[in-house]
Amino acid sequence: MIKKTFYAVLCAMCCATVMTSCGGGSSSSESSETEKTEEDVIKVSPESTTVGGKWGKAFDFEDKAYTLKVEEGWGSDMEVSLVITFTRNGNTPEVSFNEIAGSYDAGRKYVGDMEAEFLDENDEPLFTANVRTCNYTAIDKLLALSEGDKTSATFSSYEPMETIKKAKKFRITSTVEANSKAVNGSSDSNDDLDEAADDLEKASKAVGDAAKAAGAIMDLANSLN
């Protein structure tokens, strides 16, 4: 009986030791994982919440620390992205939203974009990330907002990890460029019209010259008679 009791106590002590050991290992592992995650988090702050550029001043965004998302990219470069929620304010942009689209195929006069320029601790530029790099339809959603409405846009780029880690600040600006498809189409049409007008003018001149020549010949014939 004493022998059985001894074995039971011994087993209980072993189980307790194993459970304590496992629990301690798990806690240490979780702590290590948490520390590693916190080290890898890259946070950046806006230099200003005012969006620059031709149409950007019509939007505001929150003044806070933003976390950069870093994922596997191409080759040695990583995909880095920043998500910002914009609010449409009451400001009037320099370029009418009716003339801007996020796609060259939309038939608008301009193609719009937003870009985030990232800076290091000394305010030196590191790299630029654009909205259209990720999804050009986000630009159309921004342009369609009414005052007070909100939508998110993702700025994306591919950069070396060592460059991404240096980012401390960022600033947002808006850009517009002439829609090459719309401009070229218009230009081609105008060129065709101009060329046709030149041909007509040349033809008219040729007809006029021929008529004058014919008149001169008839006058000469009449004089000989």
Side-chain angles (χ1 to χ4, degrees):
M1 181 68 179
I2 295 175
K3 190 175 182 179
K4 289 183 178 179
T5 302
F6 174 77
Y7 281 130
V9 172
L10 184 60
C11 288
M13 291 176 63
C14 289
C15 289
T17 301
V18 171
M19 290 177 66
T20 302
S21 175
C22 291
S26 175
S27 175
S28 175
S29 176
E30 289 176 3
S31 175
S32 176
E33 186 64 30
T34 300
E35 290 176 2
K36 181 180 179 182
T37 301
E38 289 176 352
E39 277 183 9
D40 290 343
V41 171
I42 303 173
K43 289 187 176 291
V44 290
S45 300
E47 189 179 62
S48 170
T49 57
T50 300
V51 182
K54 296 287 187 180
W55 56 279
K57 67 179 182 180
F59 300 93
D60 299 318
F61 64 98
E62 189 177 354
D63 186 5
K64 67 174 186 178
Y66 290 83
T67 301
L68 292 181
K69 183 178 181 181
V70 181
E71 299 178 305
E72 291 296 327
W74 297 99
S76 60
D77 288 348
M78 305 294 286
E79 181 181 11
V80 55
S81 57
L82 170 67
V83 179
I84 295 182
T85 299
F86 292 95
T87 302
R88 177 75 161 91
N89 59 37
N91 292 333
T92 303
E94 294 180 37
V95 179
S96 171
F97 284 177
N98 293 328
E99 297 182 302
I100 309 174
S103 170
Y104 290 93
D105 294 321
R108 302 292 177 85
K109 184 176 180 180
Y110 299 107
V111 176
D113 198 358
M114 270 193 181
E115 63 181 30
E117 183 179 29
F118 293 89
L119 316 169
D120 65 14
E121 58 185 3
N122 298 316
D123 294 336
E124 291 294 328
L126 292 171
F127 61 93
T128 299
N130 295 72
V131 172
R132 292 186 72 251
T133 301
C134 187
N135 185 359
Y136 69 79
T137 59
I139 299 297
D140 294 326
K141 290 180 180 179
L142 281 166
L143 295 169
L145 292 181
S146 299
E147 185 175 347
D149 289 344
K150 300 180 179 182
T151 191
S152 295
T154 301
F155 298 80
S156 182
S157 181
Y158 292 88
E159 306 293 336
M161 191 64 201
E162 57 269 24
T163 301
I164 299 172
K165 286 183 176 180
K166 295 177 183 178
K168 300 296 180 184
K169 304 176 185 177
F170 69 93
R171 52 184 170 225
I172 305 293
T173 189
S174 61
T175 65
V176 289
E177 62 175 301
N179 186 344
S180 57
K181 290 188 177 181
V183 171
N184 287 342
S186 175
S187 177
D188 290 343
S189 297
N190 290 336
D191 289 344
D192 290 342
L193 289 173
D194 291 342
E195 187 175 346
D198 289 341
D199 290 342
L200 182 60
E201 183 179 355
K202 291 177 181 177
S204 297
K205 187 175 183 302
V207 170
D209 291 342
K212 288 180 181 178
I217 292 172
M218 291 197 61
D219 290 341
L220 179 59
N222 291 332
S223 66
L224 291 175
N225 292 331

